[in-house]
Amino acid sequence: MLALLTLLTSLSTSAILTPDEAVRAALASDPALAARLADVEAATGARREPRFLRHNPEVEVSASNDGTRLSGSAVQPLSLTGEGIKAARSARATLDAAKAAADRARFETAASTRRAYTRAVLARELLHLAEQDWALLARLRRVAEARLAAGEGVDLELRLTRLEQARA
């Protein structure tokens, strides 16, 4: 985030990132969001596993040594007590929770990026105003010095402008 703000404040006015560009950059590089998206992928994989008909059938083939007898069998486990259905519901709930956590991480990243963006823009504008203030005070000081040199001003005006410039 700090690198993004440094980039934002170091660019000239014509090349500043827009808030949406800053959010896109933050979303692309946020490790917390990447972890939440990995959780979604893991939950998606886990959701495919528990079902009524499992994806693990067993096939057995046997033959006699002389080739006169051949037998085979296939076994498909079934969930008759409902543990497969309950596991599927649990996996679906885990997937929904992982998606919600990923959405929350996305929103939090976007919000903190926009907040930091606003602070950076405010700081840049305050710096710009301070520079303008300094330039105006320097100009007022030169005017007070010129008036004093011409005999039209008083030393107090010059001292006050120097004091204001020192405060800035």
Side-chain angles (χ1 to χ4, degrees), residues 122-137:
L122 178 64
R124 189 190 69 225
E125 292 303 316
L126 287 174
L127 177 64
H128 181 67
L129 287 173
E131 289 169 349
Q132 287 179 345
D133 192 32
W134 180 262
L136 180 61
L137 288 172

Side-chain angles (χ1 to χ4, degrees), residues 52-88:
F52 181 73
L53 291 175
R54 307 268 174 149
H55 294 293
N56 57 348
E58 297 175 15
V59 177
E60 184 178 313
V61 177
S62 62
S64 64
N65 288 339
D66 60 1
T68 59
R69 188 171 158 210
L70 181 65
S71 67
S73 66
V75 177
Q76 173 65 55
L78 296 176
S79 171
L80 298 177
T81 60
E83 72 269 2
I85 294 170
K86 290 175 185 168

